[in-house]
Amino acid sequence: MCDESVDVTQAVLAKNDGLAANLRRELARRGVTIVNLLSSPGSGKTELLGRILARAVERGIPVAAFTADLATENDARRLARSGAPVKQLLTDGLCHLEARQLRVHVENWLPEDTALLFVENVGNLVCPASYDLGESLRIVLMAVTEGEDKPLKYPTAFGSAHLVVLTKTDLAEPADFDSEAFDACTRRVNPGVEVVRSCARTGEGVDTVLERVLAVRDGAAVHRPPLAPHPHGHVHEYPHEDTGLAAGRLS
């Protein structure tokens, strides 16, 4: 029974990867760059994304966004304040987005002149990490209030990130957040990945994240994470012997 379950999972992921690859090619031909945002609930990614969208609109960059939730259209209303076209995707209980869902909405809604498409995934660092959406850039976010060892607890998500964004940095001191420990944990699961510090309240990191996205749009090389989000290969393992993770070392 266990082997059959694994086979079904592999087949589902393989089908999704094929759809994602096709979507990535089609949108590339249209000049659209997809950015997939992953995080836990409450990381502040909606607020940060709203600031990024507003900055892109100010600069005349054709940008749009999808935001996914199990229920409500609250985040779409918040993001629409940026002036960018925004559409809410309701998953009806599904804990992640899949390429087939995104494709339908891209075909039926995406404005023709869109150059950047941000996709705010469901707040979850488990299932969404396994599904390629056709993105060119995968950004994983976490707040300082979540703890320095979060990357070690969710190695698939952080290990597949092209860019990591640390949010709510204004709360680092009251949360007793150890920034050096966080950087070490991040390097364990994704050596060489850039970590951008951000604070939506002050605007810290907003321009930096947008510039990284624009660089990818313009053809800049993307960081290659150990668990490349496309293609996945459907093997979610991390080379512990190279990182010290298996031995539980923190430095």
Side-chain angles (χ1 to χ4, degrees):
M1 181 64 70
C2 181
D3 290 343
E4 291 178 2
S5 176
V6 170
D7 289 343
V8 170
T9 300
Q10 300 286 13
V12 169
L13 289 174
K15 181 177 181 180
N16 180 83
D17 284 353
L19 292 172
N22 289 335
L23 181 59
R24 185 163 28 251
R25 284 193 293 268
E26 291 174 15
L27 289 181
R29 284 196 291 269
R30 290 172 52 179
V32 181
T33 298
I34 300 182
V35 182
N36 186 7
L37 304 178
L38 280 69
S39 79
S40 300
S43 70
K45 70 177 178 294
T46 303
E47 186 65 25
L48 181 64
L49 176 56
R51 297 294 185 97
I52 293 170
L53 293 174
R55 194 63 52 87
V57 170
E58 289 173 7
R59 295 175 56 176
I61 300 167
V63 64
F66 289 121
T67 180
D69 274 307
L70 279 67
T72 82
E73 295 194 359
N74 294 346
D75 285 351
R77 285 193 288 268
R78 291 173 61 193
L79 292 176
R81 298 170 192 159
S82 68
V86 178
K87 184 174 179 60
Q88 183 78 51
L89 307 185
L90 296 180
T91 65
D92 295 323
L94 193 64
C95 63
H96 61 275
L97 284 177
E98 297 180 8
R100 61 179 176 80
Q101 298 167 299
L102 190 62
R103 184 189 182 96
V104 169
H105 292 287
V106 164
E107 291 176 345
N108 296 331
W109 176 82
L110 190 66
E112 279 297 320
D113 66 342
T114 302
L116 298 180
L117 174 59
F118 288 86
V119 180
E120 182 181 15
N121 219 312
V122 179
N124 183 345
L125 281 177
V126 182
C127 298
S130 296
Y131 286 84
D132 181 6
L133 299 182
E135 68 262 29
S136 296
L137 189 68
R138 174 175 290 196
I139 301 178
V140 175
L141 306 89
M142 67 158 273
V144 297
T145 52
E146 297 178 62
E148 304 87 353
D149 61 345
K150 196 76 177 260
L152 302 185
K153 293 180 177 179
Y154 297 90
T156 299
F158 284 88
S160 65
H162 297 116
L163 180 70
V164 172
V165 176
L166 183 65
T167 64
K168 303 185 181 182
T169 54
D170 55 325
L171 300 178
E173 185 173 352
D176 196 24
F177 182 76
D178 188 332
S179 185
E180 291 185 2
F182 166 73
D183 287 342
C185 290
T186 302
R187 289 194 298 269
R188 286 281 160 75
V189 297
N190 197 338
V193 70
E194 181 182 6
V195 177
V196 175
R197 265 70 175 171
S198 73
C199 175
R201 182 179 299 174
T202 64
E204 177 189 9
V206 172
D207 287 319
T208 302
V209 174
L210 181 56
E211 288 303 325
R212 298 297 182 270
V213 172
L214 291 174
V216 171
R217 178 202 62 177
D218 295 338
V222 179
H223 167 72
R224 296 184 64 182
L227 301 180
H230 42 81
H232 297 292
H234 318 311
V235 179
H236 295 157
E237 297 178 352
Y238 190 77
H240 295 167
E241 67 277 11
D242 293 333
T243 63
L245 181 58
R249 295 191 297 274
L250 292 179
S251 61

